[in-house]
Amino acid sequence: MTQAPHLRSRAEALAAAYPPLLASAERLAANVQLGDHGRKRSGAGEAFWQYRQLQTGDDARLIDWRRSARGDEQYIKQREWQIAQSALLWVDQASSMNFASSEGQPTKAERARVIGMATAVLLVRGGERVALGAVLPPRRGTGQLERIAVALTENRPDDYGVPDLSPMVPNSRALIVSDFLGDLEPLKRVLTRAAGRGIRGALLQVLDPAEEEFHFRGRTIFESITGGVRHETLRADTLRERYLARLAERKAELADLALSTGWMLGHHHTSENAQSALLWVYQAVQGAR
């Protein structure tokens, strides 16, 4: 019983946080609404897609005689492929994401969450099933969006996140959003396993501008969000060249990993417009069919 007040306050905090996240994601999604064209291809379904001329080998029963009567050619009415596919999302909620170098600028976590949430909104509106890592299995509908929004408001205590796309749905598409500043071995294992199951998708690296530019000078204390790592220097500017070299190596390693597993890699700064990042993510995920 002693834990009840703590659990209640935590639940109330989560309940208060998810409506703004969902609202922000829906506004962002509305700005880049691409319609359903991304999933249009011939197949089993009810919605009309297009007419095409009868070809050798086509079943005569497929001829649309009303359309064919308008001219000398015979046409088949093709319907849109409407089998709901699954999309797997994983958004880093570890402590390293709770960083912003200046007031008024979103943290990496805030930006990652709204982009991930907006992607879920677009996919669900397209009739697809969306899963959130191992937390929520693939489902459709607005109820799933609300569940995802609630789950994304919770922080993780670890310094760096470990991607999890389980249970992996074969031949689905996926999105992983993180700063990718931790150990890359877990990510390598996840992508290798995903590639073996025909899962393709996109990696979006979200960084704060200060992490990209390293403008620190003089006496500086570098400390992880959790306080587990701390380094003090009197001449921070002397670390800049080595830091940028390490960051470039990390990006190159990510690029090689994405290339070898058939994934796409994108980069985003929290000082940039989230709309362009969402547009890239949506197109990358849709292109991973």
Side-chain angles (χ1 to χ4, degrees), residues 23 44 80 126 137 207 272:
E80 182 184 345
L207 294 176
E272 298 172 341

Side-chain angles (χ1 to χ4, degrees), residues 124 128 139-147:
V124 166
E128 306 199 26
R139 291 179 183 171
R140 303 171 66 176
T142 56
Q144 180 71 342
L145 291 178
E146 293 179 357
R147 287 186 285 269

Side-chain angles (χ1 to χ4, degrees), residues 121-278:
V121 169
L122 289 174
L123 291 170
V124 166
R125 287 179 181 174
E128 306 199 26
R129 300 181 302 163
V130 180
L132 183 65
V135 179
L136 296 171
R139 291 179 183 171
R140 303 171 66 176
T142 56
Q144 180 71 342
L145 291 178
E146 293 179 357
R147 287 186 285 269
I148 292 174
V150 171
L152 285 180
T153 58
E154 188 169 355
N155 293 319
R156 300 284 185 262
D158 309 298
D159 276 332
Y160 300 103
V162 177
D164 189 352
L165 295 180
S166 60
M168 292 188 178
V169 181
N171 302 315
S172 58
R173 291 159 298 135
L175 169 66
I176 296 177
V177 186
S178 173
D179 57 11
F180 299 114
L181 295 181
D183 184 8
L184 289 184
E185 286 304 316
L187 178 64
K188 292 178 182 178
R189 290 193 294 268
V190 167
L191 293 194
T192 300
R193 185 179 170 215
R197 294 183 175 230
I199 299 172
R200 298 292 186 273
L203 306 173
L204 181 66
Q205 184 180 41
V206 177
L207 294 176
D208 185 277
E211 294 174 319
E212 190 77 57
E213 300 162 3
F214 198 87
H215 52 66
F216 306 102
R217 299 183 182 282
R219 181 177 181 272
T220 306
I221 298 176
F222 298 98
E223 188 174 32
S224 65
I225 298 295
T226 62
V229 178
R230 189 176 188 275
H231 175 72
E232 181 176 354
T233 178
L234 297 178
R235 298 183 58 189
D237 49 303
T238 61
L239 302 176
R240 186 173 188 271
E241 186 174 337
R242 280 183 290 168
Y243 170 83
L244 293 180
R246 289 288 299 275
L247 182 61
E249 290 175 4
R250 173 58 56 100
K251 288 185 175 182
E253 192 173 358
L254 282 170
D256 289 342
L257 178 58
L259 181 63
S260 65
T261 54
W263 284 53
M264 298 184 68
L265 173 64
H267 303 279
H268 175 69
H269 295 162
T270 54
S271 59
E272 298 172 341
N273 193 315
Q275 184 173 326
S276 59
L278 176 61

